[in-house]
Structure formats: structure tokens, C-alpha cells
Amino acid sequence: MGWNKDGSTVKALYLGEYECVGVVEESRVSYGGRVLYTINLNEPLSLPFTSELRETVIVGENQIVADFGVIENA
């Protein structure tokens, strides 16, 4: 599959701990060659250290647990 996952539905571990599922809005290479993904979550993520819900997260390629590909008509 390659590093560009734009439009793919993925499962990730945000901060290496909080499981989330969503659609990749942007794939980019950061300084040092690390790949980062901006994910629009299917359900807002509640974290214990803040009262704000996260609707979008940024994760590294090593935090992607599963890539379900592009899901049409979902």
C-alpha cells in the first residue's frame, strides 16, 4: 500500500494508548523522514487529561494499527 493513505479508514493508537478510528485527511512527511497522518475521527475521542473532545488527531506511521483502505458509500 504505500505511505500515502489519504482517504483510507484506519485504526490507530493516539499517543500510543488511546484507540481511535477515522479517515485520513492528510498524509505528510515531516522533518527526518517520519510520516504523519491527520485523521478525522468517526467518533470524538475523550482523553483523561482534558475536558475537550478530539475530533481530529495526528499520529505517526508506527501508531497505525490497521488500514482498511478507502471505503466507498460508508
Side-chain angles (χ1 to χ4, degrees):
M1 287 200 85
W3 67 270
N4 188 340
K5 299 185 184 308
D6 291 0
S8 291
T9 298
V10 296
K11 180 191 287 186
L13 289 177
Y14 181 61
L15 300 177
E17 186 173 348
Y18 305 99
E19 188 174 287
C20 55
V21 177
V23 178
V24 176
E25 177 183 312
E26 178 186 34
S27 304
R28 66 184 179 92
V29 178
S30 67
Y31 291 109
R34 185 171 173 224
V35 179
L36 297 176
Y37 300 102
T38 302
I39 303 173
N40 287 330
L41 302 177
N42 291 349
E43 296 180 12
L45 181 63
S46 174
L47 301 171
F49 49 84
T50 181
S51 61
E52 295 181 28
L53 294 176
R54 304 281 169 114
E55 294 181 3
T56 303
V57 296
I58 298 175
V59 299
E61 61 188 325
N62 60 336
Q63 295 172 309
I64 300 290
V65 176
D67 181 353
F68 304 108
V70 177
I71 299 175
E72 299 292 335
N73 301 322

